[in-house]
């Protein structure tokens, strides 16, 4: 599991209400969440997320358990989210829907290329390579299956 | 002996465990995606439906045709699977579960971030998202990383106009919004033992506001007596000594507090913001919508009139029934409060009690994120007592002069 993308820099404590507002939750149409992702933070952000690696401050995804937050990012084309710490429900949700989450300390420069390799455990940006905090073996397997649904329907658990 | 989380999960902090889930619940919001995910898993298995609960609380009654259709689908699903169904008007999921379902020592998972509320009973209770819930529905179990624990020592007793909500704001601000990420909180000490079940539920409820996965009290005589009221005989739990990380609060020092928008950990004494005009007061939620909260509010507004729009949403049907059978509900209605269907009400800003651009709401809820109750609105969080004093004054006001 490796990948790369352009950095989109965000601050600390980005809550799930900011990722996708409560007023957009009542639908099953995933494109709605992708269209309105980060709307209350910066309405221009949604257009910059395809192929992006979000590099955020600590406590990314705090707040509600709404899985739509992780789904919105994935649907918008986010390759991975990197942050020093994540709110734990967001972290589980991301793994469960197959969105890559990278726990690490890495400086962020908007637009610059970010590369990572989850199996080898590193992330690289602007010539700096930093280690990733390892995921548990279970989380890695779930991610490798593409999420919890394919993991469980594939006979695990 | 380990911490309560270690004892219940059966392994030391840092280990990963698979645990059978004693009780699992979802609501009309998370239930929709959980149902989709469960159908996609496709095994058709739904073990232990007797301990699976679907609770309609987020948008009740339904506000649009779309919501109504989603809820209809979910209701049919719950019946097909043989789950407990708490339909429109039953109340907020965490409060419904607190009314005789959640028990000490259990592993309880809710598809909602405030499922940590039930840690008040000495259960390991935590929140997950929709797909995790679908996995639990399908397999009966889930994995956990056993958390390290932060001990929150409470000394002394509350005095004056200070309430459990003020203690909650005090510990959230002491720890910060990510001060306990991946950890569990344990509320211990003499001060903890002196708190009622309603107060404990308020404290446990806000644990997730520090990033914690659980916020637990040890079951004691107070827990036993409360649960005896629901026909359960439970055993007390023995606290461990020694936490690697500790916070100490003297309840006697707590004064009425306010969390300023948009961060729940930015807290100051109510006295510092007195005079700030508000447009709406909201009393309710899984944090402070219990009978004791309505009563504390009613004690202050009784025989007077609120001067701003005031929305009161009881946390459950049992709360509403009790308030209706005492002086409390008539006092609220006569004071000019608008009383809504038990549930989450305006808390999530999705269907009712939404505030307008530039408006200020003083709320007894647990979150004041930007735009949560309406685009461009601001939310101050406080106790029911502060909410009542503020509702009367039309501006932020400490309840201290009202007692
Ligand atoms: S009352 Fe508010 S915080 Fe509690 S479950 Fe409902 S929406 Fe969430």
């Amino acid at each position: 599991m490796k990948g790369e993308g352009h950095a989109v820099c965000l601050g600390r404590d980005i809550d799930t209400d900011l990722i996708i507002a409560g007023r957009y939750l009542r639908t099953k149409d995933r494109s709605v969440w992708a269209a309105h992702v980060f709307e209350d933070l910066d309405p221009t952000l949604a257009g910059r997320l395809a192929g992006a690696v979000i590099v955020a401050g600590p406590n990314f995804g705090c707040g509600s358990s709404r899985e739509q937050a992780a789904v919105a990012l994935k649907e918008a084309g986010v390759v991975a989210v990197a942050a020093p710490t994540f709110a734990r429900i967001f972290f589980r949700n991301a793994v469960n829907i197959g969105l890559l989450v990278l726990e690490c300390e890495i400086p962020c420069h908007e637009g610059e290329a970010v590369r990572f390799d989850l199996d080898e455990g590193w992330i690289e940006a602007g010539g700096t390579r930093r280690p990733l905090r390892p995921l548990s073996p279970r989380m890695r397997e779930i991610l490798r299956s593409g999420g919890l649904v394919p993991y469980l329907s594939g006979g695990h658990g | 002996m380990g911490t309560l989380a270690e004892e219940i999960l059966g392994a030391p902090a840092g280990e990963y465990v698979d645990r059978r889930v004693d009780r699992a619940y979802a609501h009309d919001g998370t239930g929709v995606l959980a149902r989709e995910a469960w159908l996609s898993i496709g095994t058709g298995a739904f073990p232990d439906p007797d301990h699976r609960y679907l609770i309609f609380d987020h948008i009740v009654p339904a506000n649009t045709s779309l919501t109504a259709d989603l809820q209809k689908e979910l209701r049919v699903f719950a019946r097909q699977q043989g789950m407990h169904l708490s339909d429109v008007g039953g109340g907020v999921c965490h409060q419904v579960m607190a009314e005789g379902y959640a028990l000490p020592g259990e592993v309880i998972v809710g598809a909602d971030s405030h499922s940590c509320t039930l840690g008040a009973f000495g259960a390991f209770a935590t929140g997950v998202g929709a797909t995790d819930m679908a996995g639990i529905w399908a397999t009966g179990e889930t994995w956990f990383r056993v958390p390290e624990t932060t001990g929150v020592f409470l000394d002394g007793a509350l005095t004056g106009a200070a309430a459990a909500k003020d203690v909650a704001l005090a510990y959230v601000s002491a720890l910060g919004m990510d001060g306990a990420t991946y950890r569990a909180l344990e509320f211990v000490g003499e001060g903890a033992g002196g708190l009622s079940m309603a107060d404990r539920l308020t404290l446990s409820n806000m644990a997730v506001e520090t990033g914690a996965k659980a916020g637990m009290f040890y079951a004691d005589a107070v827990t036993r007596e409360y649960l005896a009221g629901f026909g359960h005989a439970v055993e007390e739990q023995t606290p461990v000594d020694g936490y690697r990380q500790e916070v100490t609060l003297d309840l006697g020092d707590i004064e009425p507090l306010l969390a300023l928008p948009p961060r729940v950990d930015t807290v100051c004494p109510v006295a510092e913001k007195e005079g700030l005009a508000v447009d709406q007061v909201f009393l309710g939620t899984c944090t402070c919508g219990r009978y004791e909260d309505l009563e504390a509010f009613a004690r202050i507004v009784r025989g007077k009139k609120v001067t701003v729009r005031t929305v009161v949403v009881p946390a459950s049907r049992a709360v509403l029934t009790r308030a209706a059978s005492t002086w409390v509900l008539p006092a609220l209605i006569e004071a000019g409060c608008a009383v809504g269907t038990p549930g989450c009400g305006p808390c999530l800003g999705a269907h009712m009690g939404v505030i307008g651009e530039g408006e200020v709401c003083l709320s007894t809820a647990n979150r004041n994120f930007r735009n949560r109750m309406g685009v461009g609105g601001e939310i101050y969080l406080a106790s029911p007592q502060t909410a009542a004093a503020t509702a009367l004054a039309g501006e932020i006001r400490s309840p201290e002069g009202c007692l």
Side-chain angles (χ1 to χ4, degrees):
Chain A
M1 287 178 286
K2 51 185 167 184
E4 60 178 288
H6 60 277
V8 167
C9 308
L10 296 177
R12 59 176 301 138
D13 302 313
I14 301 292
D15 63 72
T16 51
D17 280 66
L18 280 182
I19 301 173
I20 185 73
R23 59 189 180 277
Y24 297 121
L25 296 182
R26 262 4 89 145
T27 174
K28 288 199 240 169
D29 180 356
R30 292 164 181 249
S31 66
V32 170
W33 306 327
H36 296 285
V37 67
F38 290 128
E39 187 173 280
D40 291 349
L41 184 67
D42 172 358
T44 71
L45 255 179
R48 287 186 274 139
L49 293 181
V53 174
I54 292 177
V55 181
N59 204 26
F60 186 85
C62 62
S64 102
S65 67
R66 64 187 66 164
E67 200 162 285
Q68 289 92 336
V71 175
L73 296 175
K74 196 178 175 201
E75 291 288 314
V78 169
V79 176
V81 185
T85 56
F86 290 85
R88 57 165 285 278
I89 300 179
F90 177 87
F91 196 77
R92 283 183 81 120
N93 286 346
V95 171
N96 286 341
I97 63 128
L99 172 69
L100 300 181
V101 271
L102 312 169
E103 259 188 317
C104 60
E105 310 263 355
I106 188 100
C108 188
H109 304 286
E110 193 73 34
E112 194 174 84
V114 182
R115 300 193 308 131
F116 59 86
D117 188 323
L118 261 168
D119 301 304
E120 291 177 10
W122 54 261
I123 182 165
E124 208 176 73
T128 322
R129 184 178 277 211
R130 296 278 169 77
L132 295 176
R133 189 166 156 196
L135 293 171
S136 74
R138 173 77 54 87
M139 281 190 149
R140 247 204 305 262
E141 270 179 72
I142 294 171
L143 271 179
R144 215 182 293 281
S145 311
L148 187 67
V149 167
Y151 174 79
L152 287 177
S153 43
H156 287 91
Chain B
M1 212 181 67
T3 64
L4 197 44
E6 290 173 324
E7 290 291 309
I8 296 174
L9 294 176
E15 279 193 20
Y16 287 86
V17 295
D18 288 307
R19 272 300 315 257
R20 183 179 160 267
V21 174
D22 296 307
R23 295 176 204 276
Y25 61 105
H27 55 64
D28 51 306
T30 50
V32 173
L33 284 189
R35 174 182 166 276
E36 299 260 293
W38 182 84
L39 291 171
S40 306
I41 292 169
T43 59
F46 200 97
D48 212 10
D50 272 359
H51 295 94
R52 304 290 176 258
Y53 308 78
L54 194 67
I55 301 170
F56 285 76
D57 58 1
H58 270 54
I59 300 193
V60 292
N63 59 341
T64 63
S65 301
L66 176 60
T67 312
D69 289 342
L70 293 173
Q71 292 191 0
K72 180 180 153 195
E73 211 169 56
L74 203 52
R75 207 172 272 124
V76 170
F77 174 75
R79 293 211 180 95
Q80 278 169 349
Q81 303 306 330
M83 301 168 83
H84 282 265
L85 177 66
S86 170
D87 214 323
V88 172
V92 186
C93 54
H94 314 300
Q95 178 59 21
V96 170
M97 293 302 293
E99 291 170 358
Y101 293 111
L103 296 175
E106 291 185 333
V107 174
I108 303 174
V109 179
D112 187 276
S113 59
H114 290 103
S115 306
C116 52
T117 308
L118 301 168
F121 294 103
F124 181 80
T126 196
V128 296
T131 299
D132 261 327
M133 183 51 56
I136 293 168
W137 285 348
T139 66
E141 58 176 44
T142 193
W143 63 269
F144 298 101
R145 181 184 169 279
V146 181
E148 286 81 21
T149 295
T150 299
V152 181
F153 282 85
L154 305 177
D155 289 332
L158 289 168
T159 56
K165 177 60 175 288
D166 300 309
V167 184
L169 293 177
Y171 86 72
V172 170
S173 101
L175 284 164
M177 270 172 74
D178 63 350
T181 299
Y182 311 138
R183 304 177 70 91
L185 303 182
E186 288 189 3
F187 299 98
V188 289
E190 241 171 70
L195 295 174
S196 68
M197 259 344 283
D199 288 346
R200 294 177 189 193
L201 288 159
T202 300
L203 259 65
S204 291
N205 176 266
M206 291 194 67
V208 68
E209 259 49 72
T210 68
K213 67 167 81 170
M216 306 158 84
F217 281 81
Y218 285 80
D220 62 8
V222 173
T223 325
R224 278 177 48 147
E225 195 192 320
Y226 176 93
L227 288 171
F230 294 94
H232 299 293
V234 301
E235 293 192 1
E236 297 183 20
Q237 297 161 325
T238 319
V240 318
D241 343 278
Y243 297 93
R244 275 199 301 178
Q245 190 179 318
E246 297 176 5
V247 177
T248 304
L249 293 175
D250 190 329
L251 299 185
D253 292 342
I254 301 282
E255 57 184 321
L257 296 172
L258 210 52
L260 310 179
R263 289 182 65 98
V264 61
D265 60 356
T266 313
V267 170
C268 75
V270 176
E272 280 179 24
K273 291 284 167 189
E274 278 196 324
L276 190 129
V278 306
D279 302 285
Q280 176 169 300
V281 169
F282 169 41
L283 170 67
T285 79
C286 53
T287 317
C288 284
R290 281 170 272 282
Y291 177 79
E292 292 79 354
D293 302 308
L294 269 54
E295 189 185 37
F297 186 102
R299 228 178 259 295
I300 292 171
V301 301
R302 182 185 209 171
K304 305 195 173 95
K305 295 281 181 213
V306 299
T307 64
V308 281
R309 63 175 190 269
T310 300
V311 181
V312 176
V313 178
S316 73
R317 177 177 290 121
V319 170
L320 177 58
T321 306
R322 192 167 161 205
S325 68
T326 63
W327 58 275
V328 169
L329 187 65
L332 292 172
I333 295 170
E334 281 156 25
C337 304
V339 181
T341 308
C344 301
C347 180
L348 68 159
H351 66 125
M352 63 167 285
V354 172
I355 56 175
E357 168 119 45
E359 285 198 316
V360 171
C361 180
L362 185 123
S363 162
T364 62
N366 44 37
R367 288 199 174 130
N368 55 355
F369 297 147
R370 190 165 2 143
N371 295 350
R372 179 168 168 94
M373 286 181 70
V375 178
E378 292 199 319
I379 309 164
Y380 289 78
L381 303 175
S383 71
Q385 288 83 339
T386 300
T390 299
L392 290 178
E395 54 185 46
I396 289 179
R397 182 71 56 88
S398 169
E400 259 149 358
C402 300
L403 298 184

